[in-house]
Amino acid sequence: MTLGRSCIRLCVIAVAMQASSAFAEVFQFPALHANQPADPEQALLTNYNQVAVVYGSADIGAFSPAIEAFQQNNPQVGIEYHQLQTLEMYDMTIKERISGAANADLIISSSMDLQMKLANDGYAIAHQSAQTDALPNWARWRNEAFAVTQEPAVIAYNREFFRENELEPPRTREAFLELLRANDDLLSEKVTTYDIERSGVGFLFLARDERFFPGIWDFIRQLGQSKVKLYSNTSPMLEKIADGQVVLGYNLLGSYAETFSHRTPNLGVILPDDFIVVYSRIAIIPRGARNPNLGARFLDYMLSIEGQTVLQDAGNFNPVRADVPQSPFSSLIFDRYGERVRSFPVGPGLLVYLDQAKRQRFIRRWQDALLNRR
């Protein structure tokens, strides 16, 4: 992981709250111009020597270019980025609010359902600006929850393995299933995907698959037969596919996979031909934020044409705004495959994935399918 000139990697810290603790890796981006103006009123107006605290689930290596670009436009503002798992972020937000402790200034999570629940339950404050108004209607809810990116689920594979074994990488879910059935010995313990019990985005991707792929449970049973390797994070899966420990990955985050493939040509990335599940990271300004104005300023930057372009160019986080010029990867998704995209609109509809009874039934069915229990 390579970070820019200004980032100070503090450490892995434990933030203990009540009976539980959350573990965050904290990265400091000091203000570029920390000298305060002589006029105190001017210092207040320009937020000199203030620090915006951001909770996020995005890997710092992918997200730091957006932070550094924001600071070029706001040199007097420092950023403290807490990289957290999504469930930890959700729990911290609630506990900080209940205890009266100051919260982050902005929360950006890949668990769309958890973010939507925070907003729906009154944990977010409203923010409206020219940048939020530029979002399509599906990408904002009550000016409290905002889609910041669009990211597809992809198939990733080890190019060398497929070439040496004269295999065609699968381009649909049916082809993936048939490949596993026809090469059970060759691909045993060589396939990977998310552990939906620990990965919020993995759960959302699979729930979407169930809606649009009638054969999903046969597919999961075959993954179990193939002794699939389960992970909660994307990066370890990509690394293991690239070096051959496993050779095929299902439903991996396309933003990370595409970026990784540029550094590691042995990693192939496929946008499925049958349909593409696309999700968004959602940002909220939490009620109880230390500096909500700074959170709003950083949010507006990310939603601006410049900010969306930086997110796209540096991290392959596809833009939400229609007026941002598309990268080749983004154009491939939304222009070539536009009719096959299955997205998640920002709104209360996401809360269905948090119904505990339905969620537990879904997870039990997934467990049974992996273990080939009918």
Side-chain angles (χ1 to χ4, degrees), residues 147-180:
V148 176
T149 66
Q150 294 191 87
E151 302 172 54
V154 301
I155 297 167
Y157 67 99
N158 182 292
R159 292 182 184 275
E160 182 179 0
F161 176 89
F162 275 78
R163 184 170 57 250
E164 289 180 351
N165 288 278
E166 299 182 345
L167 295 174
E168 283 293 322
R171 297 191 173 275
T172 67
R173 290 158 179 82
E174 286 287 356
F176 200 123
L177 176 57
E178 290 306 315
L179 177 72
L180 295 184

Side-chain angles (χ1 to χ4, degrees), residues 150 275-278 333-334 337-343:
Q150 294 191 87
F275 64 90
I276 302 170
V277 177
V278 174
I333 299 167
F334 298 104
Y337 294 112
E339 293 183 357
R340 302 174 191 171
V341 169
R342 304 292 183 265
S343 299

Side-chain angles (χ1 to χ4, degrees), residues 281-323:
R281 296 176 193 270
I282 292 182
I284 66 169
I285 302 171
R287 204 171 295 277
R290 297 166 175 84
N291 294 293
N293 291 337
L294 289 183
R297 191 190 298 189
F298 187 44
L299 172 63
D300 281 345
Y301 177 75
M302 287 192 299
L303 296 180
S304 70
I305 291 177
E306 178 183 331
Q308 291 271 284
T309 301
V310 171
L311 286 167
Q312 175 178 237
D313 292 348
N316 280 297
F317 296 119
N318 302 298
V320 177
R321 291 178 55 153
D323 54 354

Side-chain angles (χ1 to χ4, degrees), residues 29-41:
F29 293 78
L32 302 183
H33 298 159
N35 294 327
Q36 185 168 317
D39 182 354
E41 290 187 6

